[in-house]
């Protein structure tokens, strides 16, 4: 089991170190190799995704990723910015399915801005298609308009498109994931306005015929955005395209109150995956030893489950995290009165201790 460890920038190095500590405590035969990525790689090698880092990622069963980015790189040409490393890894590894669970831990119910009764026990999974849609569709660019409301004016345009196989494969992922959960898929579209998403809806419906045991519901994206804050527990698995998924997965992640708790996984057809917390590099708190490492530790658990076939070890980590929360240990982002404030490495140590208990 080979794991590429790419900590990246900002708090990335601090939180990945804790996840590695937890993985080491499992006593499983992992081979872990680290490499630079993002701004750190740009500083050392002039590129956010150096050839050697990409080679290591491609040759591994899974990539454990921290976060990339810092304001100081914002003036670089776009292809050299740290965030390009993630896009490059997604593209080269063919990571088309992004999984973002939003789970509300009993002990953290008070951290959400929603009423406790709306989110207590929340456990939903947002599956976002990651390689198609308007983010990658060609043609795109700027030009002088020849029609529309202002012919002769400068305009910009992007192209929304999905092919049938792209929709089919993400639909299969969603139905298969639902089979292991509460057997309900909500496919989110904008079929009332967009041709691409009428097609999406038709193809998802067609694929559903192979999963009669799973309930399928279609929902327009505007309604889905409302329902996520009105009655989030009504969802089980949500599947949608790249742009809607980008927005809805962030909305869903905030239901639980803390971005520092949310793992994510991006998988290709061979179950090779990239595992990272849902948050960024948090330059505002980097180096202070206060970042919450739990999202990264829970991402490592997803890695064990999806790419390394180690379900028991994944569960051990998830149970250890719950134990630590039950002990009242909190990093500042999830701290509330009556709990004990701890730093990044103390939190990692506590998870290791809970694993061994
Ligand atoms: P961010 O997620 O880094 O931070 C948002 C807020 O959440 C900050 O106040 C931060 O302190 C807090 N936060 C984030 N993670 C935390 C944790 N583990 N524990 C405690 N608090 C945490 O988003 P941002 O500030 O918009 O972006 C910062 C940089 O990260 C930018 O350069 C951005 O491009 C980059 N970014 C990278 C990724 C990625 O690597 N996948 C994702 C998002 C943003």
């Amino acid at each position: 089991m080979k794991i590429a460890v790419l900590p990246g920038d900002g708090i990335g190095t601090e939180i990945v170190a804790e996840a590695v500590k937890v993985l080491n405590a499992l006593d499983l035969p992992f081979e872990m190799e680290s490499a630079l990525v993002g701004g750190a790689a740009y500083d050392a090698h002039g590129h956010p995704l150096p050839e050697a880092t990409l080679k290591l990622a491609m040759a591994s069963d899974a990539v454990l990723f921290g976060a990339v980015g810092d304001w100081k790189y914002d003036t670089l040409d776009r292809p050299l910015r740290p965030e390009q490393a993630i896009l490059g890894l997604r593209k080269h590894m063919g990571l088309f399915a992004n999984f973002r669970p939003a789970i509300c831990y009993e002990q953290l119910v008070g951290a959400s801005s929603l009423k406790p009764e709306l989110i207590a026990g929340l456990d939903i999974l947002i599956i976002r298609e990651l390689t198609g849609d308007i983010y990658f569709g060609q043609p795109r660019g700027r030009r002088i308009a020849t029609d529309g409301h202002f012919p002769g004016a400068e305009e910009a345009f992007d192209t929304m498109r999905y092919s049938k196989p792209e929709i089919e494969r993400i639909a299969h992922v969603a139905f298969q994931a639902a089979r292991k959960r509460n057997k309900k898929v909500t496919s989110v579209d904008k079929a009332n306005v967009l041709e691409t998403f009428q097609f999406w809806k038709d193809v998802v419906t067609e694929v559903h015929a192979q999963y009669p045991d799973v309930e399928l519901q279609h929902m327009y994206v505007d309604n889905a955005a409302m329902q996520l804050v009105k009655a989030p527990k009504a969802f089980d698995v949500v599947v949608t395209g790249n742009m809607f998924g980008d927005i809805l997965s962030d909305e869903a992640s905030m239901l639980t109150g803390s971005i520092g708790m949310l793992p994510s996984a991006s998988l290709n057809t061979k179950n090779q995956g990239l595992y990272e917390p849902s948050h960024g590099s948090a330059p505002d708190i980097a180096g202070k030893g206060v970042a919450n490492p739990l999202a990264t530790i829970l991402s490592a658990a997803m890695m064990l489950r999806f790419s390394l076939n180690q379900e028991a070890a994944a569960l051990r980590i998830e149970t250890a995290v719950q134990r630590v929360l039950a002990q009242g240990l909190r990093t500042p982002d999830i701290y509330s009165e009556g709990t004990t404030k701890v730093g990044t490495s103390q939190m990692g140590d506590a998870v290791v201790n809970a694993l061994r208990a």
Side-chain angles (χ1 to χ4, degrees):
M1 292 183 282
K2 181 159 177 164
I3 304 169
V5 179
L6 311 184
D9 307 319
I11 60 168
T13 48
E14 302 166 50
I15 52 181
V16 166
E18 299 312 311
V20 168
K21 221 187 239 177
V22 171
L23 286 170
N24 280 330
L26 292 169
D27 288 326
L28 287 169
F30 299 127
E31 188 195 325
M32 289 194 251
E33 191 177 334
S34 298
L36 293 176
V37 75
Y42 173 79
D43 289 342
H45 304 293
H47 197 279
L49 184 57
E51 199 55 45
T53 302
L54 180 60
K55 230 172 130 186
L56 170 67
M58 302 284 287
S60 303
D61 298 302
V63 176
L64 182 63
F65 192 94
V68 292
D70 191 287
W71 322 125
K72 71 178 180 186
Y73 303 108
D74 283 356
T75 51
L76 287 176
D77 285 348
R78 197 164 291 281
L80 294 178
R81 292 200 196 157
E83 293 78 7
Q84 294 298 316
I86 305 177
L87 298 181
L89 285 166
R90 278 182 195 161
K91 184 172 154 214
H92 288 286
M93 294 173 72
L95 305 172
F96 72 95
N98 180 243
F99 287 62
R100 276 228 220 161
I103 295 171
C104 185
Y105 291 94
E106 194 191 320
Q107 300 86 355
L108 297 180
V109 164
S112 173
S113 48
L114 294 191
K115 290 181 195 137
E117 62 267 31
L118 286 185
I119 50 125
L122 180 79
D123 181 354
I124 62 180
L125 175 63
I126 310 270
I127 298 181
R128 164 188 172 195
E129 200 289 330
L130 212 50
T131 54
D133 207 352
I134 196 164
Y135 287 3
F136 294 97
Q138 294 289 345
R140 60 194 287 160
R142 292 182 186 206
R143 64 187 172 195
I144 300 300
T146 51
D147 53 10
H149 295 300
F150 294 98
E154 195 182 358
E155 69 173 10
F157 64 103
D158 298 277
T159 303
M160 178 177 272
R161 59 193 289 181
Y162 263 121
S163 65
K164 193 170 184 187
E166 281 177 302
I167 304 169
E168 283 171 340
R169 68 180 179 178
I170 196 77
H172 281 294
V173 166
F175 288 122
Q176 281 162 21
R179 269 191 174 157
K180 296 184 191 150
R181 299 172 46 98
N182 291 325
K183 299 193 168 55
K184 181 175 172 187
V185 169
T186 304
S187 170
V188 172
D189 61 58
K190 191 71 185 168
N192 48 344
V193 179
L194 297 169
E195 199 53 43
T196 311
F197 274 90
Q198 180 59 57
F199 185 54
W200 171 282
K201 187 174 179 176
D202 295 345
V203 175
V204 171
T205 305
E206 213 175 291
V207 174
H208 178 231
Q210 296 173 47
Y211 300 88
D213 53 321
V214 179
E215 182 191 340
L216 171 66
Q217 173 190 37
H218 298 282
M219 194 179 279
Y220 296 140
V221 63
D222 37 356
N223 187 22
M226 284 196 292
Q227 296 305 325
L228 268 176
V229 286
K230 188 176 170 224
K233 282 191 272 185
F235 293 103
D236 178 23
V237 173
V238 175
V239 65
T240 189
N242 205 345
M243 181 163 65
F244 298 156
D246 189 0
I247 300 163
L248 291 182
S249 61
D250 264 22
E251 186 189 359
S253 69
M254 271 300 98
L255 296 173
T256 65
S258 173
I259 197 155
M261 295 295 303
L262 297 156
S264 83
S266 302
L267 296 173
N268 65 17
T269 48
K270 294 177 289 184
N271 281 343
Q272 191 190 23
L274 183 140
Y275 299 84
E276 57 173 336
S278 299
H279 57 73
S281 54
D284 54 332
I285 56 166
K288 296 185 179 156
V290 295
N292 187 345
L294 294 180
T296 316
I297 291 171
L298 291 166
S299 300
M302 287 183 88
M303 173 176 82
L304 290 163
R305 174 171 296 122
F306 291 125
S307 288
L308 304 178
N309 221 357
Q310 299 285 333
E311 175 66 27
L315 272 175
R316 270 184 76 198
I317 294 183
E318 287 160 354
T319 309
V321 167
Q322 290 197 31
R323 276 198 201 135
V324 166
L325 293 174
Q327 287 161 14
L329 302 187
R330 305 280 189 273
T331 43
D333 57 308
I334 51 173
Y335 174 77
S336 60
E337 234 180 75
T339 59
T340 310
K341 206 181 273 186
V342 294
T344 311
S345 64
Q346 280 168 287
M347 187 58 109
D349 290 342
V351 176
V352 168
N353 289 337
L355 263 185
R356 293 189 170 138

